[in-house]
Amino acid sequence: MEIIQLDIQGMTCAACVSHVEKAIKKVDGVDLATVNLATEQATVSFDPAVAQVATIIESVIHAGYSACITTELDAKKKSEKKDDELRRLKRRVIIAVILCAPLLGAMLAGVLKISSLMFLHNPVLQLILATPVQFWIGWRFYKGAWSNIKSLSPGMDLLVALGTSSAYIFSIFNGFIASRVGVASTGLYFEASAVIITLVLLGKYLEAKAKGKTSEAIKKLMGLQPQSASVERNGELIVVPISDVLVGDIIHIRPGERIPVDGIIISGNTAVDESMVTGESIPVEKESGDKLISGTINSYGTLKFRAEHVGKDSVLSRIISIVEEAQGSKAPIQKIADKVAAIFVPAVLGIALLTFLVWWLVVGSLPSAIIAAVAVLVIACPCSLGLATPTAIMVGTGIGAQRGILIKNGEVLQLSGKLNAVVLDKTGTLTQGRPQLQRVVPLTEDKSKEQVDYLFQLAASIEYNSEHPLAKAVVQAAKAKGYEFIEVDSFYAVAGKGVEAIIANTKYYVGTEKFLRESGIATAEAMTEKSALEEEGNTVVILSDAQKPLALLVIADKIKATSVSAIATLKALGLDIYMITGDNERTARAIAGSVGITNVLAGVLPEGKSSEVQKLQRQGKIVAMVGDGINDAPALATADVGIAMGEGSDIALESADVTLMRGDLNEIAAAIQLSRKTMSKIKQNLFWAFFYNAIGIPVAALGFLNPMIAGAAMAFSSVSVVSNSLSLRQFKFQPLGCNEDNSDAINCKSISKEKIMEFTLTVEGMSCQHCKNHVEKAALGVAGVLNAEVDLDRKELTLALADDNGNIEEVKKVVTEAGYPVS
């Protein structure tokens, strides 16, 4: 199947959306068609061997609308085009108001009996004033109505055209014909037709202006892309358009400039402001070998980097693509409005006709019949039904993108609000994902330093060929010690269990206890010491030869500073939290307990993670899986909602429904809160749309509503729905769950001011903004630190802590380890 996006012009209400979708779906080879009123776009999935793009576009045109393929150039110019349309609409509204003013004056003169203004009741004068409003200002409604009639798909334009035309023609009859044919005139209604068109048009203007605000997130993201880059070409530094940058180009960046494309730093040090992409407010330290993201800002250093991803392959372009896809999608709840919209306008036409006949034939009043029928036609508002869901989704996904939360579509957004279970992968999700070797514990009789060094060297040489994070921790530690690696004759890895290798005709194993037992090695003697180490939360790997264990490799992966508060918030949201890991039960429970998790799925191999998710689903739970690694991809795809941490692999990101651009677990809670808030707005919008029409139409049919008031109500019903969606922009993440047992939870706003303590430390060695950022980042990584600010002039670090449970000593330690002595 091929997927295309079409820009659709001419849609005014939910009925139009229904007609366009039906027209496209009738084309042979079309699998799926989703039309969004708020973005005025259609997403079509079709078989290119059966259906042609031209045929799909033709089906839209035949339905009475225009369509063209959405291109990148169109997207960039769309904002300017919409601004021009908005200005034209504003001018027409102003002209219509000026022409309507005397007509309203005539109505007020009659009600208040102001004799000096009675000349405004002149039929000729009113005809002159009302006609431009009816047929020039209101031409768009006639044009739309004619398209509705030709395609046999009635919409809002037909309702407005019929209603206002009825009042206009009836006024001509009363003003110029009635007296000549001996019929008593019942008054002029030019002001009703003109004012209704003016109010509806004003509503359209306000609606278009508000809809523009719903797509501000996309505009901001597009605005992040620089238009040019300084590139090395033939030994010279030249400025080229961003579209001419190629993979492998060497690009120069000065302080304060935006990064034009994704790349890898080859020289220079700096701090990069990634807040506009990841939502992370603190600049991220960067040095040679680190990745750069397009659209982010270089703070102070001069850099040279190699372009890795350009054009549509860049992170920024992928983010924009994900947000556009989400904003153009539909949530399942929209189906309710779609079903109603399909029959809404024909039903209103039938009610208006019935109202007219009852008032005329039963009550015996033709003027009342016309007025009541007109009121029914103009108060009905299918627009609010069509805008209720997409506008809220546009704002919600846009707000998420600004925080670094990328939600793939409306279905995911709706489902995220219903989650009741979250499965967290341990490594890289709960923990920092950078395990470090703590020590090597010899199990041989010889426990000398020389023996420990040899065993360390031996284990590192075996693990050198492995890609496992624990293996890399051992190798990295060996490199730091300056060890030379022993040549390995053969190497074989068993996924999730360990590795075996042959060195100098001797077979060695590095892996789990289970792996060694399966290999026929007795491990009983090593278990007591191993268990004690695991109860401290360490991961312990065994080095063994073919006869017996030789050493324990003690590895630890630090818990992320935000994990404790994030777990507390997720629990407060009513979610069951599970930690899944390949670690053994003892180590897994020690780590889970340190962050407040009691449900532990331990000893799970990579291929078993998806099975564990399915078990929870069979229990009736709606499950989110959170991970960051390649081995998490099947589980991410199996879960009801797959959430990938942005620091993880591309495969995990592609498998996920929600992508978090930074590795902060609080963003999971923020995504769920945002989803629930968005769904709440959608339900409010749909309630208002249904309630408004359910009450307004009967009231109008009973003759209790002036057509002008009905027109105003119809115009502002859509505006109210869009405005309610826009109120989502005030969304703020609310950390929850702070209590006496969780007093050091980071960012918890419910911590009482009495518990917050301030400390000032003197820090040596700081000389520039780079030092300031480094020290603040190190301090903020300590649990319980609410704020950290450096005064470079005074060489001071001021801390705000939830309380002092030894956290101040930890701050001193991490800042000193970062290279800045604390006194």
Side-chain angles (χ1 to χ4, degrees):
M1 289 293 173
E2 187 174 322
I3 297 176
I4 59 167
Q5 276 198 324
L6 301 176
D7 285 335
I8 310 294
Q9 293 182 331
M11 297 190 299
T12 57
C13 64
C16 299
V17 170
S18 177
H19 301 323
V20 173
E21 284 185 350
K22 286 181 179 178
I24 295 174
K25 287 177 180 177
K26 285 181 181 177
V27 177
D28 290 338
V30 170
D31 174 59
L32 182 67
T34 302
V35 178
N36 189 305
L37 179 61
T39 60
E40 298 178 342
Q41 287 185 328
T43 302
V44 185
S45 173
F46 66 100
D47 184 349
V50 180
Q52 302 297 317
V53 174
T55 308
I56 296 171
I57 292 176
E58 187 179 333
S59 71
V60 177
I61 296 171
H62 183 71
Y65 307 89
S66 59
C68 62
I69 295 177
T70 302
T71 66
E72 190 175 350
L73 182 64
D74 291 333
K76 292 180 179 177
K77 291 185 175 180
K78 195 175 292 183
S79 179
E80 295 178 8
K81 184 178 178 182
K82 285 187 178 294
D83 288 342
D84 289 339
E85 291 175 356
L86 204 59
R87 281 191 288 270
R88 284 197 298 270
L89 192 56
K90 183 179 180 180
R91 283 195 297 270
R92 296 206 171 193
V93 170
I94 292 172
I95 294 170
V97 169
I98 293 171
L99 293 172
C100 284
L103 296 172
L104 284 172
M107 184 183 72
L108 291 172
V111 173
L112 303 175
K113 302 189 185 307
I114 305 173
S115 58
S116 59
L117 296 178
M118 295 306 288
F119 73 94
L120 294 174
H121 281 272
N122 186 301
V124 176
L125 176 61
Q126 291 207 6
L127 179 65
I128 292 172
L129 292 169
T131 300
V133 178
Q134 187 70 39
F135 297 108
W136 177 54
I137 302 293
W139 176 246
R140 60 184 286 158
F141 300 115
Y142 284 101
K143 184 180 177 182
W146 178 241
S147 296
N148 293 165
I149 293 170
K150 282 197 303 180
S151 60
L152 300 177
S153 54
M156 189 202 75
D157 287 336
L158 182 60
L159 297 180
V160 174
L162 281 176
T164 57
S165 296
S166 300
Y168 180 85
I169 293 170
F170 191 46
S171 298
I172 290 177
F173 176 81
N174 282 339
F176 301 97
I177 301 173
S179 59
R180 297 182 181 181
V181 296
V183 177
S185 174
T186 55
L188 301 177
Y189 300 97
F190 285 119
E191 80 280 354
S193 66
V195 169
I196 287 170
I197 286 176
T198 302
L199 288 170
V200 173
L201 208 62
L202 175 61
K204 284 290 175 189
Y205 169 73
L206 295 174
E207 176 190 317
K209 194 172 181 180
K211 277 165 62 179
K213 293 179 181 178
T214 63
S215 59
E216 280 183 356
I218 284 288
K219 293 178 184 175
K220 287 180 180 178
L221 287 170
M222 288 182 172
L224 298 179
Q225 183 71 66
Q227 299 304 305
S228 61
S230 299
V231 180
E232 288 185 10
R233 295 276 172 88
N234 300 319
E236 295 182 11
L237 188 64
I238 61 173
V239 177
V240 302
I242 194 68
S243 57
D244 291 346
V245 177
L246 304 174
V247 173
D249 275 342
I250 304 302
I251 301 171
H252 290 232
I253 295 293
R254 293 188 295 269
E257 290 185 336
R258 285 193 185 274
I259 311 299
V261 297
D262 299 350
I264 303 292
I265 298 175
I266 57 177
S267 69
N269 296 285
T270 188
V272 177
D273 179 1
E274 298 182 344
S275 59
M276 63 290 296
V277 175
T278 66
E280 176 59 68
S281 58
I282 301 173
V284 180
E285 300 293 329
K286 300 284 185 179
E287 58 186 20
S288 181
D290 286 339
K291 294 181 180 180
L292 295 175
I293 301 174
S294 55
T296 57
I297 301 174
N298 177 31
S299 294
Y300 57 82
T302 299
L303 301 175
K304 285 173 64 177
F305 75 94
R306 181 182 296 104
E308 294 285 319
H309 301 289
V310 301
K312 291 184 178 180
D313 293 329
S314 71
V315 169
L316 181 59
S317 294
R318 289 168 66 190
I319 290 173
I320 292 172
S321 176
I322 289 172
V323 177
E324 283 182 329
E325 181 183 338
Q327 295 192 340
S329 66
K330 285 187 177 183
I333 196 172
Q334 175 70 18
K335 292 178 182 178
I336 301 170
D338 289 344
K339 289 179 180 178
V340 174
I343 60 170
F344 184 83
V345 176
V348 170
L349 290 172
I351 293 170
L353 177 61
L354 181 63
T355 299
F356 176 80
L357 293 174
V358 170
W359 277 98
W360 182 28
L361 300 177
V362 178
V363 180
S365 173
L366 181 60
S368 296
I370 292 175
I371 294 301
V374 168
V376 169
L377 290 170
V378 298
I379 197 171
C381 186
C383 304
S384 55
L385 288 172
L387 293 170
T389 301
T391 53
I393 288 176
M394 287 180 71
V395 179
T397 54
I399 291 297
Q402 289 175 336
R403 281 193 64 99
I405 301 171
L406 306 181
I407 301 170
K408 279 196 172 178
N409 54 53
E411 184 176 357
V412 171
L413 186 69
Q414 180 171 334
L415 197 55
S416 296
K418 297 179 179 179
L419 291 172
N420 52 30
V422 175
V423 179
L424 300 167
D425 181 51
K426 186 204 76 174
T427 305
T429 303
L430 275 171
T431 65
Q432 294 177 357
R434 295 187 294 274
Q436 296 177 335
L437 181 69
Q438 304 299 308
R439 61 187 184 277
V440 175
V441 179
L443 298 175
T444 57
E445 291 183 7
D446 182 1
K447 300 186 185 297
S448 66
K449 181 180 182 302
E450 290 75 15
Q451 175 70 356
V452 172
D453 287 344
Y454 170 71
L455 293 171
F456 191 171
Q457 183 185 25
L458 182 64
S461 300
I462 296 169
E463 295 282 47
Y464 188 81
N465 297 287
S466 175
E467 291 297 317
H468 195 281
L470 299 182
K472 289 182 178 180
V474 175
V475 172
Q476 188 176 9
K479 287 180 178 179
K481 288 272 191 180
Y483 292 145
E484 292 185 4
F485 295 97
I486 304 169
E487 184 177 348
V488 176
D489 297 323
S490 70
F491 175 88
Y492 177 69
V494 180
K497 294 183 179 180
V499 300
E500 60 181 61
I502 295 177
I503 297 177
N505 296 322
T506 302
K507 180 176 282 191
Y508 293 97
Y509 300 86
V510 180
T512 64
E513 177 195 354
K514 182 180 179 182
F515 176 53
L516 267 62
R517 286 203 316 270
E518 290 175 352
S519 302
I521 300 168
T523 60
E525 292 182 9
M527 287 307 97
T528 302
E529 195 160 2
K530 178 175 179 288
S531 299
L533 290 167
E534 288 172 342
E535 285 176 0
E536 296 172 4
N538 297 301
T539 297
V540 181
V541 178
I542 306 174
L543 166 66
S544 173
D545 59 19
Q547 282 75 42
K548 62 182 183 303
L550 302 175
L552 302 178
L553 308 178
V554 184
I555 301 169
D557 185 4
K558 285 188 177 181
I559 298 293
K560 288 181 180 178
T562 54
S563 291
V564 174
S565 62
I567 298 302
T569 298
L570 289 169
K571 286 183 176 180
L573 289 172
L575 298 162
D576 294 331
I577 313 300
Y578 297 80
M579 188 188 82
I580 190 167
T581 178
D583 282 346
N584 63 68
E585 186 84 16
R586 190 180 298 106
T587 301
R589 290 205 172 276
I591 293 171
S594 68
V595 294
I597 297 176
T598 55
N599 300 313
V600 178
L601 305 173
V604 181
L605 297 178
E607 60 270 23
K609 290 182 179 180
S610 57
S611 298
E612 294 296 333
V613 169
Q614 289 174 335
K615 287 179 185 178
L616 294 174
Q617 289 172 326
R618 286 195 290 270
Q619 295 173 22
K621 296 184 183 296
I622 302 174
V623 182
M625 171 68 196
V626 185
D628 75 327
I630 291 175
N631 57 18
D632 296 325
L636 290 172
T638 302
D640 297 289
V641 176
I643 302 177
M645 310 297 279
E647 297 172 335
S649 68
D650 286 343
I651 294 178
L653 299 184
E654 292 299 326
S655 304
D657 301 305
V658 178
T659 301
L660 307 179
M661 293 303 293
R662 56 189 172 118
D664 186 345
L665 282 183
N666 277 308
E667 296 307 291
I668 302 172
I672 293 171
Q673 285 185 354
L674 177 61
S675 171
R676 292 180 180 181
K677 191 72 174 177
T678 303
M679 290 310 302
S680 174
K681 290 296 179 185
I682 289 174
K683 290 173 183 176
Q684 290 171 15
N685 288 345
L686 288 173
F687 171 80
W688 165 248
F690 285 121
F691 177 80
Y692 161 82
N693 285 295
I695 298 297
I697 292 173
V699 170
L702 292 171
F704 296 139
L705 207 57
N706 182 292
M708 289 187 290
I709 296 174
M714 188 269 268
F716 287 99
S717 64
S718 297
V719 177
S720 67
V721 165
V722 179
S723 298
N724 189 45
S725 295
L726 284 173
S727 66
L728 267 173
R729 294 193 299 177
Q730 306 303 315
F731 169 81
K732 289 184 180 179
F733 169 55
Q734 296 294 326
L736 306 169
C738 296
N739 50 46
E740 293 299 322
D741 297 327
N742 188 26
S743 57
D744 65 339
I746 294 174
N747 296 327
C748 285
K749 295 179 181 178
S750 60
I751 296 175
S752 64
K753 290 184 178 179
E754 293 76 13
K755 278 196 168 187
I756 296 177
M757 305 175 69
E758 286 195 0
F759 293 88
T760 300
L761 304 174
T762 301
V763 182
E764 303 296 336
M766 298 187 299
S767 59
C768 63
Q769 185 69 28
H770 168 84
C771 302
K772 177 181 185 294
N773 293 336
H774 206 168
V775 170
E776 287 178 349
K777 184 176 181 181
L780 286 168
V782 175
V785 176
L786 303 176
N787 194 30
E789 292 185 5
V790 165
D791 186 325
L792 277 176
D793 295 331
R794 302 178 61 161
K795 308 296 183 187
E796 289 182 347
L797 169 63
T798 302
L799 303 167
L801 285 79
D803 59 16
D804 182 21
N805 287 331
N807 297 330
I808 192 69
E809 294 303 320
E810 181 65 18
V811 172
K812 290 179 181 179
K813 179 183 175 183
V814 297
V815 172
T816 301
E817 288 177 351
Y820 304 91
V822 179
S823 58

